[in-house]
Amino acid sequence: MKTVTIIGFNGALASAITGVIDLFRMAGVTWARVHGESPQSYFRTRLLTQTGDACRCINGLTIGADGSWQDVAPLGEHDLVIIPTIGAPIDQVLADNPGLVSWLSQFRSAGGDQVRVASNCTGAFLLAEAGILDGRQATTHWGFSNQFRQRFPEVDLQPDRLVTVDGHVACAGGGMAWWDLGIYLVERHAGAQVARELAKAFVIDAGRSSQAPYSALQARRYHSDTAILKLQEWLDSHYSQSVTLESLASLSGLTERSLIRRFKAATGDTPTGYLQVLRIESARQHLENSRFTIEEVTRLVGYEDVSSFSRLFRKHTGLAPGVYRSRFGR
């Protein structure tokens, strides 16, 4: 199992600690219990503080720690560290935690595309103070974006983004965006099916007009390759058409080989595989919200053969289209 380490400090937002712990602990568990299946845990979690003592959150809640981050062995390449929201005055928390800033600096040069350290909301100030975000895209709460830019001019701040992922570092925006960040990280570490089931089991919408934050597709947009982002936007409107690798390469201005390489690096999938997921996502929405027949849904999302579409749908969702509609249709 993956180890998720949440860093506690006085003045943190309690929900950004306990909520993240709940989310990772219940991945593979809640959905299974709801359906009478055997739970499978994917993550172990621990809350670490500087001394191993409890941290007192901004709401007055005291949360016991599992140990000290000063005493842990070097973190493995698959371990994940999450910095919660700073609820107290930001400058005060930064000044009170020089040891934590120094400890976090170990993540400055960690390589690879697998996220190893992440922050929620104003927790990004701690990552930036440690120099982890220099030259990288990041986000934080929009209300503190000017303060962030003034203090950390070397960071490519994107305050309009809900989640940013740049190499091994991820950041989430507003105070409750730990949900979006958590679903993304569950998907990357445990798979899209586990993430989707977790989102449905928790029934969290928070007034959003779209379910995209809980979707595997949304997670695949958290990257900084603008050419691939533009191609993804084009596919949003043209996925039901006949699309070839040659036509995508032409649209992106890349060779087919470069397109495949960059698309894979940015999204974790090939252009063809991503197109399939896009079509399946559209089919899911039709099956959940419309009365179109399965044959009609097949054609609407760009396929002709119902049996081939059904096999592909089952491969991505674990359910036949008809069973999916009976379970999730409104």
Side-chain angles (χ1 to χ4, degrees), residues 36-289:
E37 301 168 354
S38 298
Q40 178 182 354
S41 297
Y42 290 87
F43 303 93
R44 62 173 65 89
T45 62
R46 59 185 179 181
L47 175 64
L48 301 182
T49 60
Q50 181 169 1
T51 62
D53 296 328
C55 61
R56 186 171 180 80
C57 297
I58 192 63
N59 63 356
L61 181 67
T62 299
I63 305 178
D66 298 303
S68 167
W69 44 258
Q70 299 182 99
D71 299 332
V72 298
L75 299 177
E77 63 179 21
H78 298 299
D79 288 348
L80 177 63
V81 172
I82 299 179
I83 308 300
T85 305
I86 296 174
I90 295 171
D91 290 341
Q92 174 188 322
V93 171
L94 295 180
D96 289 346
N97 289 277
L100 175 56
V101 171
S102 177
W103 183 81
L104 286 171
S105 66
Q106 68 181 290
F107 295 102
R108 285 181 186 172
S109 58
D113 293 325
Q114 185 70 282
V115 173
R116 296 194 60 202
V117 60
S119 66
N120 187 66
C121 192
T122 48
F125 279 77
L126 280 164
L127 296 189
E129 189 77 358
I132 298 170
L133 299 180
D134 286 353
R136 296 185 183 277
Q137 287 193 351
T139 191
T140 189
H141 191 289
W142 59 267
F144 298 95
S145 58
N146 288 337
Q147 180 180 346
F148 189 97
R149 282 197 176 105
Q150 290 172 7
R151 186 170 185 128
F152 308 111
E154 299 302 316
V155 180
D156 181 9
L157 186 66
Q158 306 282 325
D160 57 328
R161 300 273 294 277
L162 185 62
V163 175
T164 60
V165 178
D166 194 329
H168 65 284
V169 185
C171 300
M176 297 304 290
W178 57 261
W179 171 258
D180 303 88
L181 177 67
I183 291 296
Y184 166 76
L185 293 172
V186 168
E187 182 196 341
R188 278 300 172 97
H189 288 273
Q193 185 71 10
V194 175
R196 185 191 307 285
E197 291 171 352
L198 181 63
K200 288 181 178 294
F202 270 61
V203 197
I204 299 293
D205 183 58
R208 300 173 192 274
S209 60
S210 171
Q211 295 185 44
Y214 314 131
S215 160
L217 285 173
Q218 185 69 11
R220 297 180 198 209
R221 294 178 189 272
Y222 297 151
H223 60 81
S224 54
D225 191 323
T226 56
I228 302 304
L229 283 170
K230 289 179 180 178
L231 200 58
Q232 288 175 284
E233 291 173 359
W234 183 87
L235 284 169
D236 283 344
S237 303
H238 299 83
Y239 63 85
S240 62
Q241 301 176 10
S242 177
V243 179
T244 66
L245 186 61
E246 181 182 6
S247 64
L248 292 177
S250 177
L251 283 167
S252 65
L254 301 170
T255 65
E256 292 183 19
R257 178 177 296 182
S258 294
L259 171 62
I260 293 172
R261 176 180 56 80
R262 285 176 57 174
F263 205 99
K264 180 78 173 178
T267 70
D269 205 346
T270 64
T272 301
Y274 180 84
L275 177 61
Q276 287 183 349
V277 174
L278 194 62
R279 288 172 169 174
I280 294 302
E281 289 295 314
S282 178
R284 285 182 56 250
Q285 293 176 23
H286 284 305
L287 292 170
E288 290 176 8
N289 302 305

